[in-house]
Amino acid sequence: RDRLIARYREIVEREPSEAFALARWITLVRERDGSTAALEAELTHAMEELNEVMAKYGSIVPVKLYVAGCTDTVGDGAHNRDLSERRARSIGKWLKGHGFGGPVFYYGFGESLLAVDTGDGVDNASNRRALYLVGANPPPAGSGIPGVGWKAL
């Protein structure tokens, strides 16, 4: 175990960006016909990336997946937090069910991580999204993701 920790520290010292191996946004937009084909394609691509990260780091550190859900500003803040949490959980379950072998954590940020700063009640598709991050620990301070109580799937 100590050898693994030392190896991880080597990686972080040599290339600090590798401390968090992967961070990608997923757009949560349905097609005009109501299908989710675009979302499924993004999730399939996410699975490919997650498999690469697991292959590269899985024997060195415990690789964990963190899924952050976000909403636009339409509706009540509490409703949006709940909606974003359900979305994040759903995406985490999909990725786990399609082969991600590590622990999965999720959190709903509601309207607190807007891609486009809008007023209240604005329907903006850019803000309806999720972020998946992969690393040995939760997103660090200064990553742009607030420290929160991530929930285990």
Side-chain angles (χ1 to χ4, degrees), residues 20-58:
F20 229 81
L22 180 66
R24 300 278 190 271
W25 287 104
I26 298 173
T27 306
L28 302 175
V29 178
R30 289 184 183 269
E31 301 299 319
R32 288 177 191 254
D33 65 1
S35 75
T36 57
L39 175 58
E40 288 176 26
E42 284 195 66
L43 290 174
T44 299
H45 179 68
M47 246 348 285
E48 292 166 1
E49 289 185 319
L50 291 171
N51 287 335
E52 289 174 17
V53 169
M54 289 296 280
K56 185 173 181 180
Y57 298 107

Side-chain angles (χ1 to χ4, degrees), residues 15-117:
E15 199 171 337
S17 65
E18 293 295 325
F20 229 81
L22 180 66
R24 300 278 190 271
W25 287 104
I26 298 173
T27 306
L28 302 175
V29 178
R30 289 184 183 269
E31 301 299 319
R32 288 177 191 254
D33 65 1
S35 75
T36 57
L39 175 58
E40 288 176 26
E42 284 195 66
L43 290 174
T44 299
H45 179 68
M47 246 348 285
E48 292 166 1
E49 289 185 319
L50 291 171
N51 287 335
E52 289 174 17
V53 169
M54 289 296 280
K56 185 173 181 180
Y57 298 107
S59 65
I60 300 171
V61 294
V63 176
K64 300 171 188 164
L65 173 64
Y66 297 87
V67 182
C70 305
T71 65
D72 58 23
T73 60
V74 172
D76 170 272
H79 169 77
N80 283 338
R81 276 188 302 281
D82 178 61
L83 175 61
S84 64
E85 186 162 294
R86 285 184 283 129
R87 287 175 174 167
R89 185 173 188 273
S90 178
I91 288 170
K93 283 178 72 174
W94 190 96
L95 292 167
K96 186 81 170 167
H98 284 80
F100 181 75
V104 176
F105 299 88
Y106 64 97
Y107 191 83
F109 287 91
E111 5 180 305
S112 66
L113 287 178
L114 297 175
V116 178
D117 195 16

